[in-house]
Amino acid sequence: MSGAGQKLSIVLVTGFSGAGKNAILRALEDLGFETIDNPPLATLEDLASRAEKNLAIGVDARSRGFSSEAVLETLARLRVHPALAPSLVFATATQDVLLRRYSETRRRHPLAQSGPVAEGIALERALTAPLKQAADLRIDTSNLPLARLRAIVEQNFGAGAPPMAISLVSFAYPGGLPPEADLVFDARFLRNPHYDPALRPLSGLDPEIGSFIEQDPDFATYFNHIKDMVEFLLPRFVQEGKKYATICIGCTGGQHRSVYMIEKLKSCLGRAGWRVSVTHREAAKFEAARANQKLHAKE
């Protein structure tokens, strides 16, 4: 729900087929909007009035009961709703670009199922002309890279959106690289607590392991290089429109060095204001081993 006195954003996204409406909806979804594509036109007002979070609704000539006049009348009623802040976004592109996109994808135009694509484009232009004229934001995607499109959407609708989500993962190299990784760092050259019988049952979550690893003369330099690189790259990821980034550190067993470094990196990024989650991929194995050892010790 929105905070006290804060209106919910209701964004109607329309435009020409092939002009990027779906990409705009996905960008809004990444900003935390609930998204609904192509519902029956008669349901728009009800959907908006029942919204519990910011809502983006895709509307186009395929929508049941579509007419520009009906969309504009619904929008006018939503504008007087005290709890809603509606807006209309129109995606457009040149004739040549739309024709090329349909040619590349070999899709039929929704308004020209049995005729030339150009006829469908012409009909759609006529049908949606009032919406294009009335739009609060018109986005011409003819020569617009996807990252720039996402940036435009974020600039207009990103107030209060969650920041990029960062996932930190520790792992063991014998189990393979995490397939979702954006960045991978190797900790296998650092001092290995595995060879100390007193430390072997512990994990990087235990302070004794951190103290042991930090005694490696190369640890501080290496960790600072990682931290500096990550802090340099993350704003660039945001600039390119990424909403998720996965940073992985691996070691031989996924129990000591990688776990400790991930936890230390989490603290650094958290203090810098990033939204961070942590997964220790091998945790189930080493936590089970430690629990088993404790059980035997009691016996």
Side-chain angles (χ1 to χ4, degrees):
M1 292 290 290
S2 59
Q6 183 179 352
K7 294 185 177 183
L8 287 176
S9 180
I10 307 295
V11 182
L12 301 185
V13 183
T14 188
F16 304 144
S17 300
K21 178 173 67 72
N22 289 337
I24 294 171
L25 286 173
R26 286 193 295 270
L28 288 166
E29 187 173 33
D30 285 341
L31 292 176
F33 280 70
E34 182 179 1
T35 60
I36 304 172
D37 191 20
N38 200 31
L41 207 59
T43 66
L44 290 186
E45 191 169 358
D46 187 57
L47 288 170
S49 63
R50 292 174 179 270
E52 297 184 356
K53 60 187 295 189
N54 291 338
L55 176 65
I57 305 175
V59 178
D60 58 36
R62 298 170 300 152
S63 301
R64 189 190 313 168
F66 176 83
S67 76
S68 291
E69 292 72 20
V71 174
L72 293 175
E73 288 170 3
T74 300
L75 190 62
R77 291 193 295 271
L78 293 177
R79 290 193 192 283
V80 299
H81 194 296
L84 304 179
S87 56
L88 179 64
V89 176
F90 193 96
T92 182
T94 65
Q95 178 89 356
D96 290 347
V97 168
L98 293 175
L99 286 171
R100 187 184 72 239
R101 289 174 181 171
Y102 272 98
S103 175
E104 289 172 349
T105 60
R106 299 188 178 184
R107 293 176 55 222
R108 293 183 183 275
H109 193 282
L111 298 185
Q113 290 296 314
S114 58
V117 170
E119 289 184 3
I121 293 174
L123 178 58
E124 191 171 45
R125 283 189 187 279
L127 286 173
T128 60
L131 296 179
K132 183 178 180 181
Q133 181 65 30
D136 300 290
L137 174 64
R138 288 188 290 273
I139 305 177
D140 188 334
T141 66
S142 301
N143 299 297
L144 197 65
L146 181 58
R148 179 57 187 150
L149 171 61
R150 296 176 67 89
I152 291 171
V153 173
E154 187 160 354
Q155 287 165 9
N156 284 273
F157 302 105
M164 181 174 65
I166 300 169
S167 178
L168 303 181
V169 180
S170 69
F171 70 97
Y173 271 94
L177 295 177
E180 71 276 20
D182 293 299
L183 297 172
V184 177
F185 299 98
D186 191 341
R188 287 176 292 183
F189 69 92
L190 296 172
R191 295 184 70 195
N192 192 349
H194 175 80
Y195 296 109
D196 185 324
L199 299 178
R200 185 179 301 169
L202 305 179
S203 77
L205 301 174
D206 295 298
E208 299 93 330
I209 297 299
S211 298
F212 180 89
I213 295 171
E214 293 213 11
Q215 290 174 23
D216 189 303
D218 292 323
F219 173 81
T221 300
Y222 183 50
F223 181 81
N224 287 332
H225 280 321
I226 292 175
K227 180 175 73 70
D228 291 344
M229 178 178 290
V230 168
E231 290 177 343
F232 169 76
L233 288 174
L234 290 181
R236 297 301 300 268
F237 286 174
V238 172
Q239 184 179 330
E240 288 300 308
K242 284 179 68 68
K243 294 301 173 185
Y244 309 95
T246 301
I247 302 167
C248 305
I249 301 178
C251 62
T252 305
Q255 175 175 341
H256 300 115
R257 294 165 291 183
S258 60
V259 170
Y260 175 69
M261 292 181 71
I262 284 293
E263 290 291 330
K264 190 174 179 70
L265 186 59
K266 173 191 173 184
S267 297
C268 294
L269 295 179
R271 287 195 298 270
W274 294 101
R275 185 162 56 108
V276 182
S277 65
V278 167
T279 299
H280 298 303
R281 195 180 73 179
E282 273 42 82
K285 285 193 295 185
F286 66 72
E287 289 295 343
R290 179 155 58 171
N292 191 44
Q293 185 183 43
K294 288 181 178 178
L295 179 62
H296 286 308
K298 289 180 180 179
E299 294 175 352

